[in-house]
């Protein structure tokens, strides 16, 4: 076997010579020679790279030996070409653990064949460099999505639509097609598979960009998902797509059609980013800077495509100022009331490391063993020296300010490259592409929008919205849902509630509830599922968990309220629901006693966190078969085994620890050595002088010191912390209370209180938001007697809509994500706005209406909310004139008007927390 493998590099040369000789002698037809040569053509053309890949592939074969037949029998297919074999080896050599555990060789061969089919079908396939094709077309995975067979499906639907277009035009057309399938709406953190997302018809930015990247790769266009992991000037993050066109990377907003590339609502915020990165599958030798490089993947830094950058140099020393090698260094921004790492690295033998970042502040956090240190890095401050001179236990308070990049003002439109009028994609041409750059790119130039093309873009967005809306009419109606329920002796109210939540998956879910209608726990079981799980789970998967014949006797004394959520439920963490229960009941041989289950898992499952780098949890069946897992997947596996044998189990949402219920309380399942301690009572109260009621994750967090850093306790949306004062039971240890107040320029004043919880010593803390001085200014004036068109027939003045209190006025671009963000942001302050009693007016300038926009999906808006249409954008023009601003496409524009028409607050573009900022303005006005 080894000898035959060593000959592989010579096959193409030997065969090509032999076939050429035989064909010239007339021994073989030329067609046979050509076919045979194609069978011997290398996919990995660089010999050294090919050797490295093959060696890594052989290691993975050993690693995945427990799934050898499932994964590697595909290589026994004698019809595989050398190109197919090498492409498969490349994928196997680098894939994360979840893919080794949960899919088979035929699936990966299907991905290879689909990539080659697109390369050969489209004209641009022949001009894509090997390395670009390998990493950004061949690779089937985009990020942490669940995988499916989307690629061949998308190819068939798109091929005739784009085959006669240029590469540039095709990229725009694919994005238009994606917008016909999916639009933005916030949802949970699990990333749906592309086909599941299409079935739903909406998703968050990470899902939209995964879909769009998959669709672009399906037609052979190199694409990658780009992320700013956290913004510095506001909370949250964002993902979009880059496409490779004729030697240059361009960006686009996923599912946000336009008439040109390098345009998107996020281009302005991205100028203020501290990091934009993407994960590249396999060993990548491209020109981009690398934040991290491993044998399996690299994280490349593409920030300089979007924003001014600076090099951040760091040196780590010990308490005696000697360099520390191997220290972990994290580069952090303030976001969601925590210091979040946008990049991490390890120091060299001189104690040094560096990254390229934006022109704002970073908190440099370094640690090694029991020691840590931190220091703020500011633009122009030179090398940042961090001393590892701190250990846990010290009680103190501190306050500091984190400044965000200012962001360069938009270039003068007269100096931007003018876009040509477009009535169809085929009129665009490609002259602009000939300026393609090699190597690292500089900050992207954003083409100026000309008026003719605004109408084209609006028409495309409207058309896409109409198609989505037409598809959504195929979801079951309330009338049909109730009729179905009556025909099957089901509760009509419960059935409609469930089927409405399931949306495009309603046929699967209706089949499930009809099949399981006699099970008394049916509807409580469904209630424990998330909306996304109802939208993308097949009926058979759910039946695997609910059918009583597959569930063992539940131990006597188990509280009824634990049976559905912690025994029957297939939902454990943010993983895709799979039918693992019957498999584990048949295959698990580690006993049904909890201690024995823990011991068996310890002995049989090897933990390798770094190898599941995509952070997509492995299925319990995959863990059982592969016998290697990351820590989270191992913990999910433990819970699945317990539930399969009637033992209540969960992963604690706050601490992320696996737990089981025994002797009337939740017990930690301990797999690794850890400090044990008693629970300590912590009372948290609100400072009476806070202008705003602090929200967990929005304004403050509690963080536990572990392994050299403070980890945020996940109490977001937890009812335990919904009202002050509240009491928590926490493990003994070292903690930090962090709170922040963000100013209008994006900077944050942060306070941090470090404390220790000790056994039998209850503690009370007060959340006090740092005060920042921002005086109210009159930014302009608007005539409050201006009439507003509400429904075509009703007209009220701004004064009437203000209810003699004031008016929050928001101009939307309803088809774009920032406008939808604000519609999801306002409900958080609904109660306060209702108490205030003023008006809230959302207006769609007539050019921005968007045929597919449905305001009814945005629930819990303030009671005095009204919707208006701004005919001719006259109201918008009046407000922007008063503000002396050029808005461009930087929607939404939100202003607060006093009862007299004074503009006391203004915000444009993407921003989280606008509702809260308006409330602060109202409170300052009252003073």
């Amino acid at each position: 076997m080894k000898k035959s493998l060593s000959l592989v590099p010579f096959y193409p040369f030997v065969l090509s010579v032999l076939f050429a000789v035989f064909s010239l002698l007339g021994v073989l037809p030329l067609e046979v020679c050509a076919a045979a040569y194609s069978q011997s053509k290398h996919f990995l053309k660089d010999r050294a790279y090919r050797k490295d890949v093959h060696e890594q592939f052989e290691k993975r074969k050993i690693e995945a030996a427990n799934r050898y037949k499932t994964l590697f029998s595909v290589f026994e297919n004698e019809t595989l070409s050398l190109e197919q074999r090498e492409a498969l080896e490349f994928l196997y050599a680098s894939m994360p653990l979840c893919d080794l555990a949960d899919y088979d060789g035929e699936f990966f061969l299907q991905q290879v064949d689909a990539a080659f089919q697109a390369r050969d079908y489209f004209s641009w396939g022949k001009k894509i460099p090997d390395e670009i094709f390998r990493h950004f077309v061949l690779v089937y995975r985009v990020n942490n999505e669940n995988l499916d067979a989307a690629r061949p499906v998308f190819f068939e639907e798109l091929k005739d639509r784009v085959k006669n277009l240029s590469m540039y035009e095709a990229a725009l057309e694919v994005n238009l097609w994606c917008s016909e399938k999916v639009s933005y709406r916030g949802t949970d953190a699990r990333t749906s598979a592309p086909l599941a997302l299409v079935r739903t018809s909406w998703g968050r930015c990470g899902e939209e960009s995964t879909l769009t990247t998959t669709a672009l790769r399906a037609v052979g266009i190199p694409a990658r998902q780009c992320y700013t992991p956290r913004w510095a000037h506001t909370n949250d993050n964002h993902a979009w797509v880059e496409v490779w066109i004729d030697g240059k990377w361009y960006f686009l907003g996923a599912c946000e059609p336009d008439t040109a590339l390098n345009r998107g609502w996020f281009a302005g915020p991205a100028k203020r980013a501290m990091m934009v990165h993407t994960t590249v599958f396999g060993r990548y030798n491209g020109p981009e800077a690398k934040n991290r490089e491993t044998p399996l993947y690299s994280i490349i830094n593409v920030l300089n495509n979007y924003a001014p950058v600076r090099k951040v140099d760091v040196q780590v020393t010990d308490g005696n100022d000697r360099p520390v090698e191997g220290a972990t260094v994290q580069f952090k921004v303030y976001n969601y009331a925590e210091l979040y790492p946008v990049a991490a690295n390890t120091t060299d033998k001189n104690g040094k490391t560096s990254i390229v970042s934006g022109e704002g502040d970073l908190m440099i956090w370094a640690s090694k063993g029991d020691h840590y240190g931190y220091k703020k890095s500011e633009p122009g401050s030179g090398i940042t020296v961090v001393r590892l001179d701190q250990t846990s236990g010290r009680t103190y308070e501190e306050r500091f300010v984190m400044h965000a990049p200012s962001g360069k003002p938009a270039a003068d439109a007269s100096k931007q490259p003018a876009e040509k009028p477009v009535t169809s994609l085929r009129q665009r041409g490609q002259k602009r592409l000939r300026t393609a750059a090699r190597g690292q790119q500089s900050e992207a130039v954003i083409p100026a929008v000309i008026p003719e093309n605004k109408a084209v873009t609006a028409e495309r967005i409207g058309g896409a919205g109409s198609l989505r809306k037409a598809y959504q009419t195929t979801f079951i109606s309330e009338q049909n849902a109730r009729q179905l329920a009556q025909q099957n002796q089901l509760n009509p109210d419960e059935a409609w509630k469930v089927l409405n939540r399931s949306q495009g998956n309603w046929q699967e879910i209706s089949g499930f509830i009809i099949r399981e209608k006699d099970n008394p726990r049916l509807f409580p079981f469904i209630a424990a599922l998330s909306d996304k799980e109802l939208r993308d789970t097949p009926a058979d998967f759910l039946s695997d968990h609910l059918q009583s014949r597959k569930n063992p006797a539940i131990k006597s004394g188990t509280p009824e309220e634990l049976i559905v959520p912690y025994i029957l439920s297939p939902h454990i963490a943010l993983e895709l629901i799979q039918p693992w229960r019957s498999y584990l009941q048949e295959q698990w041989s580690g006993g049904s006693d909890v201690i024995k289950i823990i011991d068996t898992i310890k002995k049989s499952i090897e933990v390798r966190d770094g190898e599941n780098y995509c952070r997509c949890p492995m299925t319990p069946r995959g863990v059982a078969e592969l016998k290697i897992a990351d820590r989270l997947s191992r913990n999910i596996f433990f819970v699945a085994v317990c539930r399969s044998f009637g033992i209540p189990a969960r992963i604690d949402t706050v601490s992320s620890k696996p737990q089981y219920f025994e002797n009337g309380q939740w017990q930690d399942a301990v797999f690794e050595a850890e400090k044990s301690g008693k629970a300590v009572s912590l009372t948290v109260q609100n400072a009476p002088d806070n202008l705003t009621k602090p929200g967990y994750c929005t304004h403050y967090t509690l963080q536990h010191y572990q392994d050299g850093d403070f980890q945020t306790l996940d109490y977001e949306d937890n009812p335990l912390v919904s009202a002050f004062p509240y009491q928590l039971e926490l493990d003994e240890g070292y903690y930090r209370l962090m709170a922040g107040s963000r100013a209008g320029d994006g900077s944050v004043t942060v306070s941090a209180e470090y404390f220790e919880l000790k056994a039998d010593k209850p503690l009370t803390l007060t959340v006090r938001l740092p005060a920042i001085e921002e005086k109210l200014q009159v930014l302009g004036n608007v005539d409050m007697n201006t009439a507003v068109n509400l429904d075509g027939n009703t007209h009220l003045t701004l004064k009437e809509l203000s209810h003699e209190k004031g008016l929050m006025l928001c101009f939307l671009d309803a088809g774009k994500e920032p406008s939808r963000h604000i519609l999801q942001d306002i409900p958080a302050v609904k109660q306060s706005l209702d108490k205030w009693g003023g008006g809230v007016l959302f207006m769609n300038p007539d050019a921005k209406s968007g045929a597919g926009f449905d305001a009814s999906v945005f629930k819990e808006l303030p009671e005095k909310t009204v919707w208006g249409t701004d005919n001719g954008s006259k109201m918008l023009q009046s407000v922007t004139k008063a503000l002396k601003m050029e808005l461009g496409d930087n929607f939404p524009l939100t202003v607060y008007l006093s009862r007299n028409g004074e503009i006391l607050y203004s915000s444009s573009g993407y921003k989280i927390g606008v509702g809260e900022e308006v409330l602060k303005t109202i409170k300052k006005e009252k003073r």
Side-chain angles (χ1 to χ4, degrees):
M1 180 63 72
K2 289 184 179 179
K3 289 183 178 180
S4 64
L5 287 173
S6 67
L7 292 175
V8 167
F10 301 100
Y11 283 172
F13 174 74
V14 173
L15 289 172
S16 62
V17 171
L18 288 175
F19 289 144
V21 171
F22 289 151
S23 63
L24 288 173
L25 292 174
V27 177
L28 290 173
L30 285 172
E31 292 83 358
V32 175
C33 294
Y37 178 74
S38 70
Q39 289 289 311
S40 64
K41 185 172 60 174
H42 278 299
F43 173 68
L44 303 174
K45 296 180 177 62
D46 181 271
R47 182 176 297 181
Y49 190 92
R50 185 166 64 243
K51 181 175 179 291
D52 288 346
V53 167
H54 184 70
E55 289 175 354
Q56 180 68 18
F57 169 70
E58 291 295 327
K59 291 178 183 176
R60 300 312 287 281
K61 284 170 70 175
I62 297 171
E63 184 175 288
N66 291 309
R67 299 192 80 233
Y68 192 93
K69 184 176 181 180
T70 303
L71 286 168
F72 300 105
S73 61
V74 68
F75 288 91
E76 298 170 8
N77 185 342
E78 294 181 358
T79 65
L80 283 185
S81 68
L82 181 61
E83 195 175 34
Q84 286 174 306
R85 289 178 183 276
E86 289 183 354
L88 280 171
E89 284 199 8
F90 169 75
L91 295 180
Y92 278 91
S94 302
M95 64 178 58
L97 287 179
C98 57
D99 297 350
L100 284 174
D102 293 326
Y103 304 90
D104 60 30
E106 290 300 326
F107 175 82
F108 298 119
L109 179 59
Q110 181 188 51
Q111 305 307 307
V112 169
D113 289 345
F116 288 167
Q117 181 184 27
R119 179 195 62 186
D120 298 339
Y121 185 85
F122 296 105
S123 59
W124 51 80
K126 301 173 182 62
K127 59 185 178 182
I128 300 171
D130 291 343
E131 183 174 53
I132 295 294
F133 180 86
R134 181 169 67 237
H135 294 281
F136 304 111
V137 177
L138 173 68
V139 173
Y140 55 85
R141 177 175 287 287
V142 177
N143 195 339
N144 60 348
E145 75 277 15
N146 302 113
L147 302 178
D148 61 18
R151 177 172 281 189
V153 174
F154 290 177
F155 173 83
E156 288 299 324
E157 187 159 345
L158 282 164
K159 64 179 183 180
D160 293 335
R161 183 163 171 169
V162 302
K163 66 181 179 181
N164 294 321
L165 302 179
S166 70
M167 200 176 186
Y168 188 103
E169 294 165 347
L172 293 169
E173 187 69 16
V174 169
N175 197 31
L176 175 61
W177 177 84
C178 290
S179 75
E180 294 167 2
K181 305 294 184 183
V182 172
S183 64
Y184 176 82
R185 199 187 305 175
T187 181
D188 67 40
R190 176 168 67 82
T191 302
S192 290
L195 289 176
L197 193 69
V198 169
R199 189 162 57 247
T200 296
S201 78
W202 52 267
R204 55 181 171 77
C205 63
E207 293 171 313
E208 289 181 303
S209 51
T210 295
L211 167 73
T212 305
T213 302
T214 301
L216 288 162
R217 291 180 182 178
V219 297
I221 297 176
R224 60 195 186 192
Q225 181 192 58
C226 292
Y227 250 111
T228 178
R230 295 284 180 96
W231 297 111
H233 67 284
T234 187
N235 284 338
D236 219 336
N237 58 8
H238 188 55
W240 58 89
V241 176
E242 287 189 344
V243 291
W244 184 95
I245 308 289
D246 293 348
K248 184 177 180 180
W249 288 98
Y250 293 78
F251 68 81
L252 58 85
C255 302
E256 296 170 352
D258 211 316
T259 55
L261 298 174
N262 274 4
R263 219 163 35 211
W265 64 262
F266 53 87
K271 291 181 181 294
R272 307 186 70 181
M274 293 296 289
M275 180 57 62
V276 177
H277 65 203
T278 186
T279 300
V280 183
F281 189 107
R283 185 164 64 80
Y284 178 59
N285 298 319
E288 299 90 347
K290 292 184 175 73
N291 288 345
R292 181 180 301 170
E293 184 174 18
T294 77
L296 302 182
Y297 69 98
S298 295
I299 298 177
I300 62 172
N301 184 339
V302 295
L303 179 63
N304 66 329
N305 290 352
Y306 302 94
V309 298
R310 67 182 179 105
K311 187 180 180 186
V312 182
D313 291 302
V314 175
Q315 181 170 37
V316 178
T317 66
D318 62 16
N320 296 314
D321 296 326
R322 294 174 299 196
V324 176
E325 181 179 4
T328 299
V329 177
Q330 299 180 80
F331 302 82
K332 299 190 175 193
V333 300
Y334 180 92
N335 189 292
Y336 279 132
E338 65 179 357
L339 292 171
Y340 184 88
V342 296
N345 221 323
T346 303
T347 55
D348 61 19
K349 63 181 180 180
N350 298 313
K352 293 183 178 181
T353 188
S354 65
I355 64 163
V356 173
S357 188
E359 295 187 331
D361 294 346
L362 286 168
M363 184 63 73
I364 311 300
W365 189 277
S367 62
K368 186 173 183 180
D370 295 331
H371 290 76
Y372 70 93
Y374 58 96
K375 188 175 182 180
K376 190 169 74 168
S377 169
E378 301 174 345
S381 61
I383 189 168
T384 302
V385 179
V386 181
R387 299 184 72 198
L388 301 185
D389 57 359
Q390 299 206 53
T391 57
S392 63
R394 186 164 71 96
T395 299
Y396 65 103
E397 296 181 25
E398 64 180 347
R399 182 173 169 138
F400 53 89
V401 178
M402 297 289 288
H403 295 96
S406 62
K408 294 193 302 186
D412 185 347
S414 65
K415 297 179 182 179
Q416 292 177 285
E419 186 190 15
K420 294 179 180 179
V422 172
T423 56
S424 73
L425 284 169
R426 291 171 178 79
Q427 293 184 2
R428 183 171 287 102
Q430 286 193 293
K431 290 183 179 179
R432 74 191 70 167
L433 301 182
R434 303 313 174 197
T435 58
R438 297 289 180 185
Q440 282 252 37
Q441 294 179 218
S442 58
E443 190 178 336
V445 177
I446 301 172
V449 184
I450 62 174
E452 298 96 312
N453 289 355
K454 283 188 177 182
V456 174
T457 300
E459 182 181 354
R460 288 178 182 166
I461 292 173
S466 297
L467 289 171
R468 286 195 311 273
K469 204 162 189 177
Y471 164 69
Q472 290 164 358
T473 62
T474 67
F475 299 173
I476 194 168
S477 66
E478 181 174 0
Q479 179 181 352
N480 289 341
R482 291 182 177 279
Q483 183 178 356
L484 182 72
Q486 290 170 353
Q487 291 170 350
N488 292 278
Q489 295 81 50
L490 290 163
N491 182 311
D493 292 335
E494 293 283 3
W496 164 238
K497 185 188 303 181
V498 170
L499 294 177
N500 187 40
R501 289 173 61 203
S502 65
Q503 302 202 322
N505 198 39
W506 70 269
Q507 290 174 313
E508 286 286 326
I509 300 304
S510 63
F512 169 68
I513 62 176
I514 291 170
R515 182 192 307 166
E516 305 292 342
K517 64 182 181 181
D518 295 329
N519 192 313
R521 292 192 170 103
L522 170 62
F523 286 109
F525 174 86
I526 290 177
L529 301 175
S530 71
D531 286 351
K532 183 174 286 183
E533 287 164 340
L534 282 175
R535 296 195 301 266
D536 67 5
T537 306
D540 289 345
F541 288 16
L542 295 175
S543 291
D544 179 76
H545 296 280
L546 186 61
Q547 286 179 359
S548 57
R549 63 182 176 83
K550 293 185 178 180
N551 288 311
I554 296 168
K555 293 182 178 180
S556 62
T558 300
E560 178 65 28
E561 64 270 18
L562 298 184
I563 293 175
V564 169
Y566 301 119
I567 296 179
L568 299 182
S569 177
H571 173 99
I572 298 174
L574 282 175
E575 81 282 9
L576 181 70
I577 289 178
Q578 293 284 340
W580 43 260
R581 193 178 300 261
S582 56
Y583 171 84
L584 291 176
Q585 288 170 351
E586 294 168 4
Q587 300 295 324
W588 175 255
S589 59
S592 58
D593 173 77
V594 174
I595 301 305
K596 191 172 181 181
I597 291 172
I598 294 172
D599 186 58
T600 302
I601 291 175
K602 279 183 178 181
K603 293 175 180 177
S604 63
I605 306 300
E606 180 183 353
V607 173
R608 297 187 190 176
D609 277 330
E611 292 193 24
N612 202 27
Y613 57 88
C614 71
R615 296 167 288 106
C616 183
M618 303 161 66
T619 67
R621 178 169 181 164
V623 173
E625 290 182 354
L626 191 65
K627 302 193 184 308
I628 302 172
D630 62 287
R631 203 172 308 273
L632 173 60
S633 299
R634 187 272 316 274
N635 293 346
I636 291 172
F637 178 66
F638 163 76
V639 173
V641 172
C642 287
R643 291 185 184 181
S644 296
F645 294 97
I647 303 166
R650 69 182 187 183
I651 292 180
D652 182 59
T653 57
V654 176
S655 67
S656 299
K657 293 179 179 179
Q659 297 179 329
Y660 59 94
F661 192 81
E662 189 174 77
N663 298 325
Q665 60 184 357
W666 289 102
Q667 313 279 352
D668 291 343
V670 180
F671 289 98
E672 289 87 21
E674 58 183 49
K675 295 179 181 179
S676 59
K678 296 181 180 179
V680 183
S681 177
L682 174 68
T683 300
V684 181
Q685 60 188 17
N686 182 23
D689 55 345
N690 285 332
L691 283 176
T692 299
K693 176 188 173 184
Y696 198 88
C697 283
T698 304
H699 303 99
Y700 77 99
T701 54
L702 289 164
Q703 303 159 17
H704 188 196
Y705 181 78
Q706 294 174 305
D707 301 323
D709 195 8
F710 286 89
Q711 309 297 324
T712 297
L713 301 179
D714 188 4
Y715 284 106
E716 186 177 15
D717 300 324
N718 192 314
L720 288 174
V721 301
S722 61
F724 291 103
Y726 59 82
Q727 186 172 305
L728 303 172
E729 297 296 317
L730 301 178
D731 292 339
E732 290 180 274
Y734 193 42
Y735 289 83
R736 178 171 69 186
L737 169 65
M738 179 167 283
S741 297
R742 194 177 292 277
D745 64 356
S747 64
V748 184
T749 301
V750 183
S751 65
E753 182 177 353
Y754 297 76
F755 60 96
E756 192 164 15
L757 288 180
K758 298 179 180 180
D760 303 320
K761 291 187 177 180
L763 186 66
T764 297
L765 292 178
T766 301
V767 178
R768 182 168 284 105
L769 300 182
I772 52 175
E773 290 299 323
E774 288 187 298
K775 295 181 179 179
L776 284 181
Q777 292 181 310
V778 177
L779 306 175
N781 290 274
V782 173
D783 184 358
M784 295 298 281
N785 292 312
T786 304
V788 177
N789 177 6
L790 298 184
D791 58 11
N793 297 314
T794 304
H795 291 77
L796 294 175
T797 65
L798 294 176
K799 185 175 182 180
E800 290 172 305
L801 293 172
S802 74
H803 303 281
E804 296 296 323
K805 300 280 187 179
L807 180 68
M808 176 181 171
L809 170 59
C810 184
F811 297 94
L812 303 173
D813 183 351
K816 298 290 181 67
E817 180 177 335
S819 294
R820 298 186 179 219
H821 259 299
I822 199 169
L823 290 169
Q824 294 175 182
D825 186 33
I826 297 302
V829 293
K830 167 182 163 49
Q831 186 175 358
S832 298
L833 288 175
D834 288 342
K835 185 177 180 180
W836 160 59
V840 178
L841 171 61
F842 291 107
M843 298 199 76
N844 290 306
D846 48 10
K848 298 288 184 183
S849 296
F853 177 69
D854 182 5
S856 66
V857 303
F858 298 99
K859 312 292 185 184
E860 299 300 317
L861 293 172
E863 293 176 359
K864 293 182 179 177
T865 297
V866 294
W867 294 80
T869 299
D870 188 10
N871 296 320
S873 300
K874 292 180 181 178
M875 180 74 73
L876 175 63
Q877 292 168 9
S878 173
V879 172
T880 55
K881 183 178 180 181
L883 290 169
K884 298 180 174 61
M885 71 178 296
E886 292 290 337
L887 181 65
D889 278 334
N890 200 24
F891 287 88
L893 171 63
T894 305
V895 297
Y896 170 70
L897 305 177
S898 72
R899 57 186 294 184
N900 299 318
E902 299 165 322
I903 303 176
L904 301 180
Y905 171 85
S906 172
S907 171
S908 61
Y910 176 82
K911 196 172 190 179
I912 303 297
V914 169
E916 182 188 327
E917 291 184 354
V918 170
L919 269 180
K920 288 180 180 178
T921 302
I922 293 169
K923 290 178 179 180
K924 289 178 182 178
E925 182 190 23
K926 288 181 177 180
R927 289 181 177 179

